[in-house]
Structure formats: structure tokens, C-alpha cells
């Protein structure tokens, strides 16, 4: 990396995107001794539940064993990105990523052979592969139908402990619910999970809240667990969580909430803080405006507070996401890829994008639109051949998957980033050699 | 794993058939049916109003919300034009809170017939419509969004109306004046007839499947596009309708202060009507044979835009939040009724005397602007049959402004919230600034609140779900609040939430492109990934939305 007056940088690997695919690509690259340059806008991490799904549903049916699901994909939908990656690589991607996040200070459970059944805020659950340590007790409490007290907060809309208990009642009748005022935020005015989470990083606030929770537990009678919306700290949730458990003298679990939600915020702030410490060159909250492919390199253009910046890269991983993140754009006459106008596999006309029924279990055609790649995750051009040996794609921008309906967002992000980095590393190796 | 059928909790065991008694049964909860309910109540006549869905679920909710000055009819139907003027004046007096007297323009665009444009001023003056001729430059000064290619422009006194609010007010006034009642989700499925008299109407509560009977002295069919079906249930074939489906599209911002009409014979996308903070462009007109399962299509949206862009070029790059459809009932022939001129008036009142019935009347056709007059003529007939000689008072009597009736008006909730300065009254719908207290007052006392109030029912009675997020966030927040209030107590609430999103989606789908599409993508992530509504909650069946009902829920059109 060198600094020059016209603010041009060069890097071996540029990663464009700041979701799970982008950040995991950077982690995998750092593991291989490659120092990437990562640029991405604010990113969609604030929208995640915090759960890392590998594959939760196929054809509307929940999967207890995601690996069996992937085997089915290989037979029935071999073009699905997950079907194109060996189990060993997927396992390595998950365990390496969850391990790295845990090492950086945000503990996740070790991803195993089976899906966990994790809690959702409306009193439902979903299959997922790895959950934050602050949420794992919820999986256990649900599995054993343990008596649990769910707490919500005055002024926090969209999360109702009473709703959670009412919808779980049939299968989990021992649930109880209580509403508390959050210390010093109890006028009834709207309170925000992020603000509560940051407040709980201060010990005095934890003590005040714990005292109220203890009171509610006493009133609730027999209670073995306490469930809270996800508010247990942003920077040190494991510590806040442990301390709250100590103060309340019961195991505590968090439940994901509506965005902008704390679990995603934790990931974003963690990545933005910890990865640069490990060498990543990160231009966060920036959008790459232009990407040029040249014979021996790719040039990225973006603007920061000080003006224009160009980055010359030997390899590029596009982890630009779909419509929400700006990797794809939908015009009245078709879908296009926003940086290079790469060919997008898509339905023939706009009338074919969506099904009539919003919740049709088959999902909408537009959600399977995206970039096509070869087995090395190089982006394919209109002629069906790689656009460039140095242009890779990973994550949700890829075609032929429906990560929302199949609950495979993290799976696709991590596994495809892992493969793209592997192939990019091989390319860079060749060049060195 | 996820709980089982969330609707199981709301199916109730069958009971003995209930019978309700009233003086008049009015069928159809649109502007006309509620207008009749009000008119009768002001004459001291109590009624029960039923709708198989909810208020304004048909054309009354699926229109521009335009109070025509009459300019549109001036060229070929002077009488209708005059009627529009007169009725518009009355409505502005009795319900000013429902009306935005924004004014309107008629503009001709390059390619339109210059001779027709030339004659417009003459038509208006013949119909008594005050109109001024503007130069294109003057018109563009008034409305900068107008195309540079306009060559003729006239002002007219067009206005807009919030049809949801006026419907709620009418029901409320009828309740207060005569104890009249509104029963939502109550469908008439048959009549018991003897010797030329209807003895009773068999009804079904579409939420529970419960059957019940309503006995009345007089029966009024104000079912709009469904009037032919209702008349046939009473054995009457004289009501013959054609159905014209019209689709409109709503922009995210208000494109013009005034109503903009294309100065030519009616066609697709030729009226742009403001509605608070948004504008509505429409309509298409397509003959249909089916009334149910109508939904706006991509093609209809594109047709509206293709024409609308000629008047207002900025529509080409505007963001649209929703499309919606309504069905206009068109009268096939005017060969029955008490008023020989009804064909020209666009509505028809059938007394069904020729068909041997003495206590049944049907009113259909017509237009939003003249609904009060339709209600008056119908109520005159019903009152005289009941021997009631009280005069109609609907043209003079002011409509009430109730606490629970104000929430459909664009911008009201925000003004209310800021003026109250009560931070504890948390906002549930952020786009439209609908606070908790609004939901409280609707649940407590809005028409229909006697029964169970659902997310969709609240949305019909407020701006919930009508802002730029189209309910994808506030639907979750309002549902949670309904659980908190103990109104939802089981997974049935999730079923209602799912129905609400599925219904909003029908209107969103055809406008998904550009900046709207990422929002839809986020919404789907929320509704499926976070809420689990796609897999955990079976499609609604047991509650109100039975098969025949998954319609065009236009129910928010003009209120936008």
C-alpha cells in the first residue's frame, strides 16, 4: 500500500461491499496473508437478526439438518450457489468466520451438524446454524419449554412480551411476560434498542435494570430463564450479558428485534473496529462509484471527505448485495448490475418479477435474479465466459438463490466469499509465481 | 417449531341463529350506503348497514377522491355537470374537513384536438361552471410540473374529498341520530320472500362463518358494483350492470397543487389528483366480468404513466408507492325505476315494483361527487314507503367531527401529534405519524369498533399503512400494540398481520421498480426472515378473508 499525492492506492485484493459477504471475504483474505482493501456503503448489517443461517428452509419446509438440505440442492438445484460448494469448504467458512467473530470479542456458538431452533420476536422460531452467545439460552429454553419470563419495555414499539407469550402459548405454556420501564428512560416516550444497549455498558445501569428484573421475576413465580429484547450492549455484549446473569441470578437470553437492531450493529461496529487492527484497509460508509477492468488490473473510484480516491487492484470481489445494498438496480424495463453493467440473469419482463401472492412459498422470481459465476466464482459475461480473470462475485448478488425464503443468507455470504477468496488467492499466487 | 394454525383460536362453535330487527336494512358500506343510513337517521329512521367486507371496500375506496366540478361532463352531459357543481357546493358546506378545495385545471397537450379545447369554455359556461382561460405560460406558473407542450388551459373549481372520513362520519351521525348500526364482514346471502315482500335477509359473518338473520321493513341494495348480484338474490333481473375496472397509481409526493385534467375525451391516465402529500394518476378503464380478485397490474400502471407523462413529465421519474383498482358499475339500460332521467344522471334507482316487490330498492351507478343526491333519492323512496314524511336534511345538516373519525385525513395525525406534545404517546406508524392514541380512539369508538378490531380495520380507519413504507414496518408495530392491549391474544393476530401485508402487497407489486423495490426487498426480509410469516402462519381462511374476498382492496385509494 502506498500513498501518493493524487490519492491513488494499490492493493492485491479489493473487496466491494460491507455486508456479511464483504466482511467475511476480508477475514478469509487476512487469514491467507492477503491484506485487502475493502470499500462499502453503510451496508445492510443493521437489518440482521444476528443469527447466521446456513440453510433453514426448502420449499417452505423447515430443515433440521442443513447439510441434508444442501445435498438435496445438489440433486434438485445444482445451480444454487450452495450446491456448487463442497461441504468441507462451507464448514470451513462457517467455523472460521464464527471463530474469528468470537476471537474479536463477539461470541457465537460453534456451528454444528444440525440447525438450532432460534427465537423470533413475534413468538415464532426459525432454524439457524449459529447464534450469538447472548441468544443461545433462548434456544435451550424453547427446546425444554422451560418457564421463562419475557420482559419488554415501556416505549419500545414493535416488541411485545405479551405477543411473544401469546403466540408461543400452545407449545410453551410456561412463558410469562412483564413490562418494565428502562431506568431513566421511562416517560413512555419511544426508546431505541441501540440507546438502551449503550446505556447497559455502564455498570450502574445494569444494576438498576437487574433490580427491576429481579422484582418482576419475584412477581412471576416460577421462572428459570429471563428473555429480553436484544439490548445487552453494543461493544461488549458478552460481558454485559454475563454481568446481567450474575445480577439477576438466572440465565438470560436476548430476542432479535425490528431493525435497526442491536445484533447487526454489533457486527458492523466490530468489523469496522477490529478488522483494521488486523491489517484490513477499510473505507467504510463509502460507495464505489466506478470500476474499470484493465488488462492487468482493476481500478476502483470512490469519493471520501477529502475528495476522489482511486484504488488499483489485482483482483476484485464484488460483494455488493442486491437492491437494498445497491449492487443491483431495478428499472421499469429491466434489472441491471450497477458497477459494470454486468449481465444479470433475470425474468423476461417486469410483469414476471413477482408472484401474485406475496407469501407464495415458491418465492418471487426477482429474488433469484443476479450475477452468474463459474465454478471459480468469476463473473460470467454475456458470452458465458468470465468477464475477467480477476473479477469475482460473492453473496446475495449471485443468481439462482432465494436467501430470504430459504434462510441461507449467511450461508451464501460466507461460503461464496470463502470460495471467491480461495480462487482470488490462487490467481494472486500465480502472479507472484 | 412454530405454533399450529393461528386461526384456530377465532373459530367459534356454532350457535343458534340470531335474528336482528331493524326498520331498514341497507346493504353496502360505501359512500352511498352510508349516505342512505345517515339520510334515514336524520329523518328519524333507524337502520342496520351491512357490508360483506368493510367500509369503502369497493369503488368508494378505489377512486381518485375527486369532487368533479363538472368540467369533465360539460361537453356531453350538461345536466350531470350541473349536478356535480351543486353537490360539490353542498359537500363543502356540510363536511369541509373532508374536502380540499384545491381547484383544478384542464390542459390540452400537443396532439390533443385543438377544436375540442377551443369549445371547452363554452361548455363550462353552459353548465354554469366558473372557468377561466389561461395561457400556457400562466398555467405553468400555477403548476410548474405541467408539460411545456400544453397549448390550452382552463381553471375549474375541482376539489378533492377524503371518502374514508366522510363515510365514517356518516355512519357515526346515523349511530348518534337514530341508533343505526354498521356490521362489517356481514354478507347477505339470501332473502326470504313471501307475497311480494321480503321477510328477512340471511346473512353470514365472514369472519366466523356464523349465520344470522336480519328482519327489516324495508331493504335497500346500495352494493355498488355488487348491486346486480344482490338484486338477483331477491329475484330481480332488472338491475343490469357492466363492470369497468379502473386502476390508479399513487406517487410518493404531491406533483401538483391542483387537480390536473387532460382536456380531451376521457382516456387512460388523464387525471392527476392531489391527496394530501401524494398525487394519484388514473384511471384506466377495462371491461371485466368478474368482481372479485381484481388487482392492479403492471400493464395498467404503465398505460397510466404513458399518458400521464404527457401532461406532467416529472411522472417519468417519480417514485410510486402503490397502485389500486376499483370497479365502476355501469348501467346497461335504464328501463326500470321511478326517475326517467336517471340514465343521463349516471345513476339509477330501482323500486322493483314491476317485479312485484314492495319493500326493496336498489341504487347503483353514479359517481362519488353525487353520492349524497343518490342517497337522498333512495331515502325519499324508502321513507315514503314507511309513511315517514320528514324531509331530507342531508344537504343542510353538518356532519360530525368525532375523535375516532379524523385519522384518515392525510397529515392530520402529524399535526395532532405535534400540537399535543405528549412524548409518551408513541408513534406507531412513522411514515404517517400515527400515534398510539389514534389506535386507542379507533379501537374504542370508530364505526365497527363494537366488534373485533383488526389491523386491516384500523388501516381502513386511519393512515396506517398508507405512507411510503406501505405498512411494512407499522404493521408490525401496530400488531404488537394490539397484543399489548389484549385485542390480539393468540396466533390469530399473526394471521391478521400476514393478511394485511399480503393485501398491501397487491397494490405495491405493480409499482416495484427504482427506489421502491429495495424497500420491498427489505420488507420481505422483515416479514419472512424476522417475523416468520411466510412459513409459520398458514394462509388466512377462517377469518374475514374467505375465498371470494381477496379482492382489489382498493380501500385506501383516494384516502391516500
Amino acid at each position: 500500500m502506498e500513498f501518493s499525492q493524487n490519492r491513488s492506492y494499490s492493493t492485491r485484493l479489493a473487496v466491494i461491499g460491507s455486508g456479511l459477504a464483504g466482511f467475511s471475504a476480508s477475514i478469509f483474505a487476512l487469514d491467507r496473508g492477503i491484506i485487502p482493501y475493502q470499500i462499502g456503503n453503510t451496508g445492510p448489517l443493521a437489518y440482521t437478526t444476528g443469527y447466521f443461517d446456513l440453510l433453514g428452509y426448502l420449499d417452505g419446509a423447515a430443515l433440521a439438518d442443513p447439510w441434508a438440505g444442501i445435498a438435496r440442492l445438489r440433486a434438485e438445484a445444482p445451480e444454487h450457489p450452495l450446491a456448487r460448494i463442497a461441504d468441507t469448504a462451507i464448514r470451513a467458512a462457517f467455523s472460521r468466520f464464527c471463530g474469528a467473530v468470537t476471537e474479536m470479542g463477539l461470541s457465537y456458538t460453534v456451528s454444528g451438524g444440525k440447525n438450532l431452533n432460534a427465537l423470533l420476536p413475534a413468538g415464532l422460531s426459525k432454524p439457524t446454524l449459529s447464534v450469538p452467545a447472548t441468544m443461545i439460552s433462548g434456544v435451550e429454553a424453547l427446546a425444554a419449554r422451560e418457564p421463562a419470563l419475557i420482559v419488554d419495555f415501556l416505549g419500545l414499539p414493535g416488541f411485545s412480551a405479551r405477543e411473544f407469550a401469546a403466540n408461543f402459548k400452545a407449545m410453551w405454556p410456561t412463558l410469562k411476560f412483564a413490562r418494565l420501564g428502562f431506568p431513566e428512560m421511562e416517560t413512555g416516550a419511544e426508546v431505541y434498542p441501540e440507546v438502551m444497549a449503550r446505556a447497559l455498558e455502564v455498570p450502574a445501569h445494569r444494576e438498576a435494570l437487574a433490580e427491576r428484573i429481579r422484582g418482576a421475576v419475584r412477581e412471576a413465580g416460577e421462572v428459570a430463564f429471563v428473555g429480553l429484547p436484544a439490548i445487552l450492549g453494543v461493544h461488549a455484549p458478552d460481558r454485559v450479558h454475563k454481568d446481567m446473569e450474575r445480577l439477576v441470578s438466572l440465565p438470560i437470553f436476548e430476542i432479535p428485534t425490528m431493525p435497526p437492531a442491536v445484533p447487526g450493529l454489533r457486527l458492523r461496529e466490530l468489523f469496522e473496529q477490529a478488522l483494521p487492527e488486523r491489517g484490513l484497509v477499510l473505507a467504510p460508509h463509502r460507495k464505489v462509484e466506478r470500476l474499470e477492468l484493465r488488462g492487468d488490473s482493476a481500478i476502483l473510484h470512490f469519493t471520501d471527505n477529502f475528495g476522489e480516491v482511486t484504488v488499483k487492484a489485482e483482483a476484485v470481489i464484488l460483494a455488493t448485495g442486491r437492491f437494498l445494498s445497491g449492487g443491483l438496480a431495478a428499472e421499469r424495463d429491466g434489472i441491471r448490475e450497477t458497477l459494470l453493467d454486468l449481465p444479470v440473469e433475470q425474468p423476461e419482463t417486469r410483469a414476471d418479477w413477482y408472484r401474485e401472492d406475496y407469501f407464495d412459498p415458491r418465492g418471487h422470481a426477482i429474488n433469484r435474479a443476479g450475477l452468474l459465476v463459474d465454478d471459480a466464482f468469476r463473473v460470467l459475461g454475456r458470452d458465458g465466459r468470465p468477464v475477467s480473470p480477476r473479477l469475482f462475485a460473492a453473496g446475495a448478488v449471485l443468481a439462482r438463490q432465494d436467501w430470504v425464503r430459504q434462510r441461507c443468507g449467511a450461508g451464501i455470504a460466507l461460503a461464496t466469499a470463502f470460495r471467491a477468496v480461495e480462487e482470488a488467492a490462487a490467481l494472486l499466487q500465480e502472479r507472484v509465481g | 417449531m412454530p405454533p399450529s394454525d393461528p386461526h384456530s383460536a377465532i373459530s367459534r362453535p356454532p350457535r343458534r341463529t340470531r335474528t336482528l330487527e331493524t326498520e331498514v336494512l341497507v346493504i353496502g358500506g360505501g359512500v352511498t350506503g352510508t349516505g342512505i343510513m345517515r339520510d334515514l337517521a336524520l329523518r328519524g329512521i333507524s337502520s342496520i348497514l351491512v357490508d360483506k367486507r368493510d367500509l369503502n371496500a369497493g369503488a368508494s375506496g378505489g377512486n381518485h377522491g375527486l369532487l368533479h366540478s363538472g368540467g369533465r361532463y360539460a361537453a356531453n352531459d350538461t345536466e350531470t355537470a350541473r349536478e356535480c357543481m351543486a353537490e360539490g357546493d353542498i359537500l363543502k358546506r356540510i363536511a369541509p374537513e373532508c374536502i380540499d378545495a384545491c381547484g383544478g385545471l384542464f390542459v390540452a397537450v400537443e396532439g390533443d384536438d385543438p377544436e375540442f379545447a377551443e369549445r371547452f369554455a363554452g361548455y363550462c359556461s353552459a353548465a354554469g361552471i366558473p372557468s377561466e382561460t389561461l395561457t400556457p405560460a400562466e398555467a405553468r406558473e400555477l403548476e410548474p410540473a405541467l408539460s411545456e407542450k400544453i397549448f390550452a388551459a382552463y381553471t375549474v373549481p375541482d376539489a378533492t374529498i377524503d371518502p374514508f372520513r366522510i363515510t365514517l362520519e356518516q355512519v357515526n351521525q346515523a349511530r348518534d341520530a337514530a341508533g343505526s348500526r354498521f356490521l362489517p364482514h356481514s354478507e347477505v346471502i339470501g332473502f326470504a320472500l313471501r307475497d311480494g315482500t321480503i321477510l328477512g335477509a340471511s346473512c353470514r359473518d365472514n369472519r366466523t362463518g356464523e349465520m344470522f338473520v336480519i328482519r327489516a321493513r324495508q331493504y335497500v341494495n346500495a352494493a355498488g358494483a355488487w348491486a346486480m348480484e344482490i338484486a338477483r338474490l331477491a329475484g330481480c333481473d332488472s338491475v343490469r350492470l357492466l363492470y369497468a375496472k379502473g386502476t390508479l397509481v399513487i406517487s410518493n409526493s404531491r406533483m401538483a397543487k391542483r387537480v390536473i385534467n387532460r382536456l380531451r375525451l376521457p382516456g387512460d391516465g388523464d387525471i392527476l389528483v392531489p391527496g394530501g402529500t401524494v398525487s394519484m394518476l388514473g384511471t384506466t378503464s377495462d371491461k371485466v366480468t368478474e368482481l372479485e380478485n381484481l388487482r392492479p397490474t403492471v400493464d395498467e400502471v404503465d398505460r397510466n404513466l404513458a399518458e400521464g407523462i404527457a401532461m406532467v413529465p416529472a411522472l417519468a421519474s417519480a417514485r410510486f408507492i402503490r397502485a389500486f383498482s376499483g370497479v365502476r358499475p355501469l348501467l346497461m339500460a335504464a328501463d326500470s325505476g321511478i326517475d326517467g332521467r336517471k340514465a343521463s344522471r349516471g345513476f339509477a334507482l330501482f323500486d322493483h315494483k314491476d317485479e312485484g316487490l314492495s319493500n326493496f330498492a336498489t341504487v347503483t351507478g353514479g359517481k362519488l361527487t353525487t353520492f349524497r343526491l343518490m342517497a337522498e333519492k333512495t331515502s325519499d323512496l324508502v321513507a315514503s314507503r314507511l309513511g315517514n314524511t320528514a324531509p331530507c336534511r342531508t344537504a343542510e345538516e353538518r356532519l360530525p367531527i368525532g375523535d375516532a373519525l379524523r385519522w384518515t385525513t392525510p397529515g392530520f395525525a402529524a399535526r395532532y401529534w405535534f400540537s399535543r406534545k405528549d412524548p409518551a404517546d408513541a408513534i406507531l406508524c412513522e411514515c404517517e405519524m400515527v400515534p398510539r392514541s389514534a389506535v386507542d380512539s379507533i379501537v374504542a369508538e370508530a364505526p365497527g369498533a363494537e366488534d373485533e378490531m383488526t389491523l386491516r380495520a384500523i388501516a381502513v380507519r386511519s393512515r396506517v399503512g398508507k405512507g411510503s413504507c406501505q405498512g411494512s414496518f407499522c404493521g408490525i408495530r401496530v400488531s404488537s400494540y394490539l397484543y399489548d392491549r389484549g385485542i390480539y391474544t393468540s396466533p390469530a393476530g399473526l394471521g391478521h398481520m400476514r393478511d394485511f401485508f399480503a393485501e398491501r402487497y397487491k397494490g405495491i407489486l405493480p409499482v416495484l421498480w427504482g427506489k421502491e423495490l429495495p424497500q420491498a426487498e427489505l420488507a420481505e426480509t422483515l416479514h419472512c426472515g424476522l417475523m416468520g410469516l411466510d412459513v409459520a402462519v398458514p394462509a388466512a381462511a377462517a377469518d374475514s378473508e374467505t375465498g371470494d374476498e381477496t379482492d382489489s382492496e382498493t380501500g385506501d385509494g383516494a384516502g391516500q
Side-chain angles (χ1 to χ4, degrees), chain B residues 297-524:
Chain B
T297 66
V298 167
D299 171 62
E300 288 163 346
V301 166
D302 286 354
R303 271 155 52 202
N304 273 326
L305 285 184
E307 292 299 326
I309 287 165
M311 290 194 301
V312 175
L315 287 166
S317 53
R319 183 169 167 183
F320 295 94
I321 55 176
R322 178 171 188 77
F324 62 98
S325 305
V327 177
R328 300 182 194 92
L330 302 176
L331 296 157
M332 272 173 85
D335 55 359
S336 169
I338 57 165
D339 186 341
R341 294 172 305 163
K342 71 245 160 224
S344 66
R345 287 164 176 251
F347 74 85
L349 173 62
F350 299 82
D351 61 13
H352 299 295
K353 226 162 59 185
D354 295 350
E355 290 162 293
L357 281 178
S358 60
N359 65 343
F360 185 53
T362 295
V363 60
T364 188
K367 58 182 64 63
L368 177 64
T369 307
T370 55
F371 79 87
R372 192 211 59 84
L373 184 65
M374 293 168 69
E376 176 178 339
K377 298 289 180 200
T378 311
S379 302
D380 284 347
L381 171 66
V382 172
S384 79
R385 284 172 160 183
L386 289 170
N388 179 307
T389 54
C392 173
R393 285 162 54 203
T394 57
E396 295 82 37
E397 197 86 17
R398 184 78 176 68
L399 276 158
I401 308 174
D403 279 355
L405 314 177
R406 308 172 290 178
W407 305 102
T408 60
T409 301
F412 173 78
R415 289 194 300 277
Y416 167 87
W417 194 81
F418 281 115
S419 68
R420 265 185 89 210
K421 295 194 178 68
D422 176 6
D425 189 11
I427 297 287
L428 293 178
C429 166
E430 291 183 327
C431 306
E432 295 287 325
M433 303 280 292
V434 181
R436 242 168 17 199
S437 60
V439 173
D440 287 340
S441 80
I442 290 166
V443 168
E445 52 187 6
E450 300 86 349
D451 284 329
E452 177 193 40
M453 208 37 116
T454 65
L455 182 55
R456 273 177 75 179
I458 289 166
V460 168
R461 289 156 180 77
S462 69
R463 298 286 301 167
V464 164
K466 292 172 188 156
S468 53
C469 92
Q470 285 290 294
S472 51
F473 281 74
C474 61
I476 298 172
R477 293 164 63 127
V478 173
S479 295
S480 288
Y481 185 61
L482 293 177
Y483 276 100
D484 281 344
R485 289 268 327 242
I487 289 165
Y488 285 156
T489 56
S490 75
L494 295 176
H496 286 296
M497 210 190 313
R498 182 187 156 111
D499 290 347
F500 173 75
F501 294 135
E503 200 53 55
R504 299 309 293 169
Y505 168 79
K506 290 181 189 170
I508 299 168
L509 187 164
V511 298
L512 287 180
W513 72 81
K515 289 179 179 146
E516 213 50 37
L517 196 131
Q519 293 307 308
E521 187 179 48
L522 173 59
E524 193 182 341

Side-chain angles (χ1 to χ4, degrees), chain A residues 16 290-301 313-318 337 339-340 342 379 386-392:
Chain A
I16 308 179
R290 205 151 54 82
L291 173 61
E292 294 171 68
L293 293 178
R294 295 190 178 162
D296 60 345
S297 63
I299 313 289
L300 290 72
H301 301 263
E314 292 171 45
V316 175
I317 295 178
L318 278 183
E337 188 278 327
L339 272 178
L340 288 168
L342 295 165
V379 180
V387 171
S388 152
R390 67 195 80 260
L391 182 67
F392 302 86

Side-chain angles (χ1 to χ4, degrees), chain A residues 124 157 160 162-163 167 171 179 189 259 322-324 330 332 350 353-356 358 364 367 405 407, chain B residues 1 3 295 302 423 477 480 483-484 490-491 505 509-510 512-514 517 521 524 526-528 531 534:
Chain A
L124 298 170
S160 161
R162 190 168 173 176
E163 173 179 9
N167 291 333
M171 61 181 304
R179 169 156 300 179
R322 303 184 68 77
F323 304 97
L324 187 60
R332 266 172 76 197
R350 199 173 100 234
W353 287 358
Y354 288 94
R355 293 188 189 276
E356 291 206 343
Y358 183 31
H364 303 294
N367 292 337
R405 297 303 183 90
R407 274 70 168 179
Chain B
M1 289 317 295
R295 47 195 302 157
D302 286 354
R477 293 164 63 127
S480 288
Y483 276 100
D484 281 344
S490 75
Y505 168 79
L509 187 164
L512 287 180
W513 72 81
L517 196 131
E521 187 179 48
E524 193 182 341
L526 264 184
H527 299 154
C528 299
M531 303 302 290
D534 58 330

Side-chain angles (χ1 to χ4, degrees), chain A residues 11-66:
Chain A
T11 183
R12 303 211 71 197
L13 175 66
V15 175
I16 308 179
S18 52
L20 278 186
F23 278 113
S24 65
S26 287
I27 289 172
F28 299 140
L30 288 167
D31 280 351
R32 292 173 181 272
I34 300 167
I35 304 283
Y37 197 120
Q38 186 182 345
I39 306 135
N41 56 19
T42 304
L45 278 173
Y47 301 120
T48 168
T49 52
Y51 298 147
F52 293 153
D53 305 341
L54 170 53
L55 182 62
Y57 279 87
L58 275 184
D59 306 325
L63 297 173
D65 180 351

